[in-house]
Amino acid sequence: MRKASRLFEIIQILRLARKPITAADIAETLEVTPRSIYRDIAALQAMRVPIEGERGLGYILRPGFDLPPLMFTIEETEAIVLALALLARTGDEELKAAARRVNQKITGAVPGPLRQAFQSQALHAWGTVAAPPPAIDLAMVRRAIRDEQKLALDYRDELGRASERTVRPLALIYYSEHAMMVAWCELRQDIRNFRADRVEHCEPVGAFFRGEGNRLRQLWISGWKTNAARPLEAEDA
C-alpha cells in the first residue's frame, strides 16, 4: 500500500473507532509494522490532522475533522468497474441506467490514472443477460420495498396455476436469467418467492406495512439460514 493510501486509511480507521486504538491494531489491519504507523501518525499530526494520543495508550481523532474528497485505490476502482458491469446483466433497466450515470460521474471526478481504469474496458462481466420481465417494473418493486408499500400481483407459478396475491415486498434477488421477489404473502400468511417473469400484472395498492419491513426480512433471513439446503431461487406457490 502506498503511503498516501495508508494515511487515508489510518484516518478512516480513527474516524470509525469508538475508543482509542493502538498503533499495533492499526498496523495489523493495514498489514504493516507498528513503526510505520508511528511515522504515519507523526506525519498526519504535522499536517494538522487532529490526532491525539501516544504510544502504548492508543490514538483518537478529535471530533469534527472533515476528510478530503473521497478517493479510491486502483483495486477499489476495479471493484467498482466490475460491479457496474455486473449490473448491466440484470433485467432492471433503471438500475442499468443508474450504473451508466455512476460510471460517468466517477470517471469525471477521479484523477487521470484512475480515470484510465474506468475507461480501459479491461474488466468485463460475461454471461447471460437477463431480459426485462414483461409485466412487472422492477424499479417500482424497489420503490415499494423502500416505501414499505403493498403490491397486488396476478401470478402464474411453474405449473401454470394462476392466483391473485397481495404481498409485502421485502427483497429482490437478481440472477443471470431472471429476478426473484421475496415478499410476505397475505394469502399464504408466510414469506414467498415470486419469479418476476411469471408475474402477469403488478401494481401498488393504497396500503402500507411501514415499520414491519426489517422484522419480516429478518424472519426471511433466519428461515433461509435454517433451510440452507433449499436454493434461494426456488419458487413458492
Side-chain angles (χ1 to χ4, degrees):
M1 182 183 289
R2 292 178 301 175
K3 182 174 181 179
S5 297
R6 195 168 66 242
L7 295 178
F8 178 80
E9 293 296 336
I10 290 172
I11 294 173
Q12 289 283 65
I13 290 170
L14 293 175
R15 285 182 72 242
L16 296 175
R18 296 184 177 180
K19 60 182 181 178
I21 183 167
T22 66
D25 288 336
I26 299 173
E28 183 178 358
T29 300
L30 300 182
E31 298 181 345
V32 296
T33 65
R35 184 185 298 272
S36 295
I37 300 302
Y38 289 134
R39 287 197 297 262
D40 291 340
I41 288 177
L44 288 168
Q45 290 172 329
M47 291 185 282
R48 298 186 179 179
V49 176
I51 297 174
E52 299 177 348
E54 57 184 272
R55 296 187 183 197
L57 297 178
Y59 297 92
I60 59 172
L61 185 66
R62 190 184 309 148
F65 176 71
D66 291 326
L67 279 171
L70 181 65
M71 191 52 59
F72 302 108
T73 66
I74 291 292
E75 291 77 16
E76 290 166 345
T77 302
E78 289 178 337
I80 295 170
V81 169
L82 187 56
L84 294 175
L86 288 168
L87 272 178
R89 295 173 55 188
T90 72
D92 193 319
E93 295 298 323
E94 186 177 82
L95 278 185
K96 289 162 69 174
R100 290 191 292 271
R101 294 195 301 272
V102 169
N103 200 317
Q104 292 169 355
K105 287 180 179 179
I106 297 180
T107 300
V110 299
L114 295 184
R115 188 176 303 121
Q116 292 175 8
F118 279 91
Q119 296 175 329
S120 66
Q121 298 184 335
L123 297 176
H124 298 269
W126 201 254
T128 304
V129 177
I136 184 172
D137 180 359
L138 295 178
M140 177 191 67
V141 176
R142 286 188 286 104
R143 285 192 293 272
I145 292 171
R146 292 195 300 266
D147 297 341
E148 298 186 341
Q149 184 173 20
K150 297 182 182 181
L151 297 174
L153 299 181
D154 291 339
Y155 191 71
R156 192 172 296 275
D157 67 17
E158 59 183 339
L159 299 178
R161 297 173 297 196
S163 61
E164 296 181 359
R165 315 282 185 106
T166 298
V167 302
R168 305 173 189 182
L170 304 174
L172 271 174
I173 306 173
Y174 292 89
Y175 300 97
S176 57
E177 299 86 4
H178 60 266
M180 184 82 76
M181 176 172 62
V182 180
W184 174 270
C185 176
E186 296 190 351
L187 176 66
R188 303 301 187 202
Q189 286 295 293
D190 202 355
I191 292 173
R192 290 289 186 263
N193 297 335
F194 300 94
R195 276 185 54 154
D197 57 350
R198 291 180 179 153
V199 175
E200 297 184 335
H201 182 73
C202 178
E203 63 181 5
V205 299
F208 296 83
F209 57 101
R210 287 175 178 152
E212 298 181 47
N214 285 335
R215 178 183 63 81
L216 292 173
R217 267 186 292 277
Q218 288 303 313
L219 181 64
W220 166 58
I221 291 170
S222 62
W224 163 47
K225 290 180 178 179
T226 301
N227 301 288
R230 182 176 183 271
L232 275 176
E233 65 268 25
E235 178 190 25
D236 292 308

